[in-house]
Amino acid sequence: MKSIVTEYTDICFFCGGPAECEHHLIFGNSLRKLADADGLKVPACNKCHNIAIKPEDRIHGNPIAEKLSKQLGQAIWEAHYGDREAFRKRYGISFM
């Protein structure tokens, strides 16, 4: 996994358990491909990612966690690649 967020790709970014999948910080149709190319993903366990019973215990299905994920992705992208305007040009949106 290419990640500009963490070098610890075998540990869940959220709970510290073993990673089983990848979470794209910026997701949705064409945005996921850009996030993949830019390394805007973190390791996750399946529970934290999308299978916990309570929505507040997982990223997907929790609107606040999804929004924070996108904001974190944008902040890291801006720190690594460019400014907010460059992010808007690349992704067509700003989450800040």
Side-chain angles (χ1 to χ4, degrees):
M1 168 179 38
K2 173 189 171 190
S3 175
I4 63 169
V5 182
T6 182
E7 62 186 78
Y8 302 103
T9 57
D10 57 340
I11 300 170
C12 178
F13 189 75
F14 307 102
C15 74
E20 301 166 307
C21 59
E22 301 173 342
H23 171 64
H24 290 78
L25 294 174
I26 298 175
F27 46 91
N29 299 335
S30 61
L31 299 181
R32 182 183 170 145
K33 289 180 183 179
L34 292 173
D36 205 25
D38 292 344
L40 291 178
K41 52 189 176 177
V42 294
C45 68
N46 290 324
K47 181 181 177 188
C48 291
H49 192 231
N50 60 7
I51 67 168
I53 294 171
K54 296 190 293 183
E56 63 269 17
D57 291 340
R58 61 180 183 253
I59 299 302
H60 294 292
N62 179 335
I64 294 170
E66 288 184 354
K67 183 175 183 173
L68 290 171
S69 173
K70 291 175 179 178
Q71 289 175 333
L72 175 64
Q74 180 172 344
I76 289 173
W77 190 94
E78 290 175 3
H80 194 78
Y81 293 113
D83 61 10
R84 183 137 318 146
E85 188 55 35
F87 182 87
R88 281 190 189 110
K89 284 181 182 177
R90 178 146 174 86
Y91 284 86
I93 191 170
S94 175
F95 299 107
M96 303 296 212

